[in-house]
Amino acid sequence: MSTVKDMDRLLQSFVDGGLPGCGLKITRRGETVYEGYFGWADLEAKTPLTSCSVFRQASTSKLPLYVAAMMLYERGLFLLSDPLYEYLPEYRESRKAVRCGDGSFEIVKADRPLIIKDILTMRCGLPYCNFPVETDDPTLAAMVKAMEPLWAKGHYTNREQVRAMADVPLAFEPGTHWMYGFASELTCALVEAVTGRGVDAALEELLFEPLDMRDTRSHFFGDIQERMVKLYAIDEENRLTPTSFPLERTFLPGEENEMGWARLFATVGDFSNMMTMLANGGVFRGEHIMGRKTIDLMRCNVLTAEQMADYTNPYEAGYGYGLGVRTLLDRAAGGVNGSPGAFGWTGGYGSWCEADPEDGTAFVYMHNMLPNRERWYHPRVRAAAYGLIE
């Protein structure tokens, strides 16, 4: 069994080896098992990284989004089998791209409309399209064309982006394949449709306030901007250079900075509160936030054998996919010392989160670096973190 000192040494070795800074918190049945912060929030200013440091979340923003969506599901506001057009009318009829024998594509009507389960499981057939690209793929090319007026305007809401994508031909028949991408923006629009509120306000009411996630939002407030860790790019020789990413402007207030749904920022402790709730049957500090059975549904693998072939990233070995989260299926296949049914997600800047209901254990690790080198850091953190659990 590993020790706290072993974990300290591992995280310090990350920093010694070139990572600017990182933080990790582990809880079990609501009690802190480990919490540590190493390195720098700002290398040039020699500002230490601490529990107050704020990290960009990128795709770990999906965790609060999909948790909130499932909370609305368990309140009876929608069913997974509901057609998406009942909430987003422009999606009444979908078309799909079909490859012909000569390699060309034909655009035909889909056999059925998108349903909510398709967007909660990344099986809606729309990839990401955040920036202009040259492509021969009919779906992505149509997405670029649909986005051009919004990019020309320079700012746009998530709802505008969702409307722009309604006429884009899907990459496949709804529900037949797994494809990471635009499903989260559609889920955002669904949350807004069923609550009658903006997604930021909905997340604040459903999750951030009940879970004491004081520093998790999508727009700067108070001293958040000063506490945000600096983002660094790392080259092949482990040299770090301060950098930025175009979507970061969405953290600034004002419609002129909007580019769809603004991704979240958070502290390690804030995200730990949410993952602790998920690991403990929906209970946080004695309060029932979410139903245990809903969490169990969320972490069930939905992918068929054919769809698992779409889910081939070596980083995901041993995992399947549920409702907005990866879920551990096979310890041996992934070389993972966690529990089957443990679930979570990862962010492009370097965050990794997992909840393990079998032991009531929650893990939250964060760093901010591009590329994030997740395949090197995260499995080591996971192995050592589970090694602390008796």
Side-chain angles (χ1 to χ4, degrees):
M1 182 174 178
S2 62
T3 67
V4 167
K5 289 184 179 179
D6 291 326
M7 182 62 79
D8 287 343
R9 281 192 288 266
L10 178 65
L11 298 182
Q12 184 61 52
S13 75
F14 289 175
V15 175
D16 294 341
L19 191 68
C22 59
L24 170 68
K25 186 171 182 178
I26 305 171
T27 64
R28 189 178 190 194
R29 301 191 179 99
E31 300 297 325
T32 300
V33 172
Y34 178 88
E35 187 169 12
Y37 301 90
F38 297 82
W40 310 98
D42 186 323
L43 279 168
E44 291 72 29
K46 295 301 179 187
T47 305
L49 196 148
T50 70
S51 62
C52 295
S53 298
V54 178
F55 295 82
R56 302 155 188 81
Q57 292 309 306
S59 285
T60 30
S61 302
K62 292 176 172 63
L63 283 166
L65 173 64
Y66 284 92
V67 169
M70 292 307 295
M71 292 172 70
L72 297 170
Y73 157 82
E74 71 177 9
R75 296 180 185 187
L77 296 183
F78 63 82
L79 297 177
L80 299 182
S81 57
D82 283 347
L84 183 60
Y85 67 73
E86 291 185 0
Y87 307 89
L88 306 177
E90 61 267 36
Y91 284 83
R92 178 170 290 275
E93 291 189 3
S94 293
R95 298 175 301 148
K96 62 184 178 182
V98 177
R99 185 181 290 273
C100 302
D102 61 0
S104 65
F105 287 91
E106 182 181 4
I107 307 303
V108 302
K109 184 178 178 181
D111 296 341
R112 68 162 174 81
L114 288 168
I115 61 173
I116 289 179
K117 189 175 183 180
D118 295 331
I119 67 171
L120 296 184
T121 58
M122 292 287 173
R123 295 184 297 181
C124 71
L126 291 174
Y128 270 126
C129 181
N130 292 321
F131 306 102
V133 294
E134 292 187 8
T135 178
D136 294 327
D137 178 89
T139 296
L140 187 54
M143 294 179 82
V144 170
K145 185 176 181 180
M147 285 300 299
E148 284 174 347
L150 298 182
W151 288 329
K153 188 173 71 164
H155 60 88
Y156 49 89
T157 65
N158 184 71
R159 194 69 187 89
E160 287 178 308
Q161 189 176 19
V162 165
R163 288 192 185 99
M165 296 302 166
D167 292 329
V168 170
L170 308 177
F172 46 76
E173 177 65 26
T176 59
H177 289 277
W178 188 88
M179 175 184 279
Y180 193 61
F182 195 71
S184 293
E185 282 69 18
L186 291 170
T187 302
C188 247
L190 172 68
V191 168
E192 292 184 334
V194 299
T195 63
R197 311 184 66 186
V199 67
D200 295 326
L203 290 176
E204 186 171 342
E205 179 183 341
L206 290 165
L207 285 174
F208 301 156
E209 290 184 353
L211 293 174
D212 197 23
M213 298 172 70
R214 301 179 184 181
D215 294 326
T216 303
R217 296 292 188 277
S218 61
H219 296 104
F220 288 139
F221 66 95
D223 65 346
I224 290 291
Q225 192 166 8
E226 289 71 39
R227 289 194 282 131
M228 181 83 78
V229 304
K230 187 175 285 189
L231 179 63
Y232 288 91
I234 187 168
D235 64 20
E236 293 179 356
E237 297 180 6
N238 280 356
R239 292 175 299 196
L240 293 166
T241 305
T243 189
S244 61
F245 197 68
L247 289 177
E248 286 200 46
R249 86 177 208 208
T250 63
F251 292 147
L252 300 172
E255 68 174 13
E256 68 276 11
N257 296 308
E258 291 189 35
M259 296 175 67
W261 178 45
R263 303 298 175 181
L264 302 175
F265 49 76
T267 60
V268 169
D270 273 12
F271 250 64
S272 180
N273 289 353
M274 181 182 65
M275 300 307 291
T276 295
M277 179 272 290
L278 293 172
N280 290 276
V283 178
F284 179 71
R285 295 176 184 170
E287 296 292 326
H288 286 264
I289 307 297
M290 185 177 184
R292 176 174 61 86
K293 293 294 187 180
T294 306
I295 297 171
D296 288 345
L297 172 62
M298 191 175 184
R299 64 193 181 103
C300 282
N301 175 54
V302 300
L303 302 183
T304 65
E306 179 184 7
Q307 292 161 3
M308 286 293 288
D310 302 324
Y311 198 67
T312 56
N313 185 343
Y315 179 90
E316 309 284 354
Y319 288 84
Y321 196 80
L323 296 169
V325 295
R326 74 165 67 89
T327 185
L328 182 58
L329 302 177
D330 187 338
R331 287 189 181 106
V336 180
N337 55 346
S339 306
F343 66 102
W345 200 242
T346 301
Y349 295 115
S351 296
W352 169 78
C353 305
E354 190 154 293
D356 183 345
E358 180 176 305
D359 291 312
T361 309
F363 310 90
V364 176
Y365 167 86
M366 292 181 185
H367 70 242
N368 273 181
M369 186 173 72
L370 293 174
N372 64 27
R373 295 186 175 177
E374 61 186 22
R375 293 186 188 182
W376 197 92
Y377 291 108
H378 293 174
R380 287 168 168 79
V381 172
R382 181 180 59 197
Y386 275 109
L388 288 174
I389 306 304
E390 295 181 4

